[in-house]
Amino acid sequence: MYQTLLVSIENNICTITINRPDKLNALNKTVIEELSTALDEVYSNTEIKSAVITGAGPKAFVAGADISEFTALNGEGGKALAKKGQDLVFNKIENSSKPIVAAVNGFALGGGCELAMACHFRLASENAKFGQPEVNLGLIPGYGGTQRLTQLIGKGKAMELMLTGNMIDANEAKQLGLVNYVTPADSLLDKTKELLNIINTKAPIAIKHVIKLTNIAAVGHEDGLQKEIEAFGELFDTADAKEGAAAFLEKRKPQFTGK
Ligand code: COA
């Protein structure tokens, strides 16, 4: 039924696995659309009490938005990409009344880190790596990263990670509060499901209100996500963003000019 996802339901837990391991599970248009459909099922299927999102293969959770789709985008296209992703997936996860948890099994970069951060909380395997490397491409996070990273780890460290594009490992992510648990790779899903099994015994309406109110507590400026979409779009009209994506795809260092 899905081209890019594996979806299964067991013990009232829906497991959504992003399944493009040869591209490190990068989020292309199809993944975004299929995630949206899978999330609609989480919302509507009464057999599902909670969900986990993870990535296929040993190497990556999600290594970001699919950079090969960036080369054709101008400002309007960039803005539409960010808005569509936020509406169809990232905000839909955050606003779900059923808990959705990320089991981060490797690289969670760019849109991958943002996908994990849109989830209600995160667990990571020991080999997980987190980062917002968009500046390397002449871009910024466009799926909520400027807002949610700051909410989760505080302004100073969020600023450092987004300005340098540096990656952090799972243990540092735990120290910063970005993930709640670090486990060996082969027990990541078991530990995640152990927590969801506890949550699934609680009253669904209480769960729904905890999620809603905790989300309210975490939000700063209400229009932050919208401002991010606009800035992300504007960058696609710059020469540097074109150079950044081309350099990645050609496996070379970018030459930025400030234009
Ligand atoms: N978009 C599109 N393709 C991607 C991708 C992305 N975000 N991330 C990885 N891939 C592809 C690579 O192009 C490569 O494809 P190929 O085999 O057809 O050449 C494949 O996935 C494997 O990646 P590779 O770079 O060879 O693996 P690596 O172990 O050397 O490096 C990373 C791993 C994660 C450090 C590196 O892939 C990377 O920097 N990815 C981009 C991260 C990023 O900038 N994300 C934010 C996007 S806004």
Side-chain angles (χ1 to χ4, degrees):
M1 173 176 150
Y2 293 105
Q3 285 175 49
T4 62
L5 304 180
L6 303 169
V7 178
S8 61
I9 305 169
E10 202 185 21
N11 290 331
N12 305 115
I13 298 172
C14 179
T15 302
I16 301 173
T17 306
I18 299 164
N19 188 28
R20 295 183 77 206
D22 54 327
K23 293 290 177 190
L24 306 188
N25 304 319
L27 302 174
N28 65 8
K29 195 166 170 275
T30 311
V31 179
I32 293 292
E33 282 165 3
E34 292 191 343
L35 274 173
S36 177
T37 305
L39 290 165
D40 288 342
E41 171 154 18
V42 172
Y43 270 52
S44 62
N45 184 338
T46 50
E47 190 193 336
I48 298 172
K49 292 189 174 171
S50 57
V52 47
I53 299 180
T54 192
K59 206 168 153 182
F61 172 68
V62 165
D66 191 321
I67 298 167
S68 68
E69 291 184 345
F70 285 1
T71 51
L73 294 179
N74 61 10
E76 276 308 303
K79 191 172 157 184
L81 179 92
K83 178 159 174 40
K84 189 173 167 197
Q86 291 198 17
D87 289 348
L88 287 185
V89 175
F90 295 75
N91 295 345
K92 205 185 273 184
I93 292 171
E94 185 167 79
N95 296 324
S96 163
S97 61
K98 300 174 186 176
I100 302 179
V101 170
V104 179
N105 58 307
F107 288 113
L109 302 176
C113 189
E114 291 169 298
L115 184 67
M117 293 193 296
C119 291
H120 296 125
F121 60 88
R122 289 141 294 281
L123 293 85
S125 58
E126 285 160 348
N127 65 323
K129 293 243 168 18
F130 296 80
Q132 296 290 158
E134 289 85 353
V135 283
N136 296 329
L137 302 169
L139 292 172
I140 61 167
Y143 286 146
T146 61
Q147 308 301 295
R148 294 194 182 102
L149 189 63
T150 310
Q151 289 161 12
L152 282 165
I153 69 172
K155 181 174 163 182
K157 198 70 196 179
M159 196 78 92
E160 179 196 328
L161 290 183
M162 288 187 282
L163 292 177
T164 61
N166 284 346
M167 288 187 228
I168 56 171
D169 65 17
N171 285 323
E172 190 172 355
K174 180 162 177 280
Q175 275 168 20
L176 291 170
L178 187 55
V179 304
N180 296 8
Y181 296 88
V182 178
T183 75
D186 59 4
S187 48
L188 177 65
L189 279 178
D190 286 346
K191 178 68 188 173
T192 307
K193 288 177 183 175
E194 185 188 311
L195 291 169
L196 291 178
N197 280 327
I198 296 171
I199 296 170
N200 288 351
T201 65
K202 315 299 179 194
I205 299 173
I207 295 293
K208 175 177 90 175
H209 284 303
V210 168
I211 292 173
K212 200 170 172 186
L213 293 165
T214 309
N215 281 340
I216 289 172
V219 168
H221 298 290
E222 261 175 46
D223 62 352
L225 286 172
Q226 183 56 35
K227 291 227 156 68
E228 184 187 277
I229 288 171
E230 277 156 27
F232 183 80
E234 273 173 33
L235 286 163
F236 278 88
D237 280 333
T238 65
D240 279 348
K242 299 206 183 338
E243 164 64 7
F248 177 80
L249 296 169
E250 290 160 20
K251 302 184 191 293
R252 62 173 173 83
K253 276 202 173 11
Q255 301 290 327
F256 292 131
T257 59
K259 298 206 170 72

